[in-house]
Amino acid sequence: MFDKAAQVQHPLDVLTEIENKAAMDQELLLRDGGTPWAELLADYVDALNELAVPGTAENGYLATYGLDEGHAGGCG
């Protein structure tokens, strides 16, 4: 009654194919768009740093954190 050669693809496989195609399309658009993403990201981080520094300078100290200070390792 049913032809074994005409099997339906698993729904998760279909979704994976759609996701992969969308990711490839997006990557191509970002690469071919001409926007200097690395430079833009560096400028954004610099702007955030400039916003953060005046807040600590008003208090008279500069907060520094290491991996072993505060709660970085947990509370126990």
Side-chain angles (χ1 to χ4, degrees):
M1 184 174 241
F2 291 104
D3 185 14
K4 289 186 179 184
Q7 293 183 355
V8 177
Q9 192 175 8
H10 192 277
L12 292 179
D13 292 336
V14 173
L15 291 175
T16 300
E17 285 180 18
I18 292 170
E19 180 182 12
N20 289 340
K21 179 162 179 15
M24 287 176 28
D25 290 346
Q26 186 177 25
E27 182 179 338
L28 288 173
L29 286 173
L30 287 173
R31 189 175 9 165
D32 296 341
T35 303
W37 292 107
E39 184 179 333
L40 183 63
L41 181 59
D43 291 343
Y44 180 73
V45 170
D46 288 342
L48 287 177
N49 284 334
E50 288 177 15
L51 290 173
V53 171
T56 56
E58 291 174 3
N59 296 330
Y61 67 92
L62 181 62
T64 58
Y65 300 99
L67 293 176
D68 59 345
E69 297 177 23
H71 295 282
C75 296

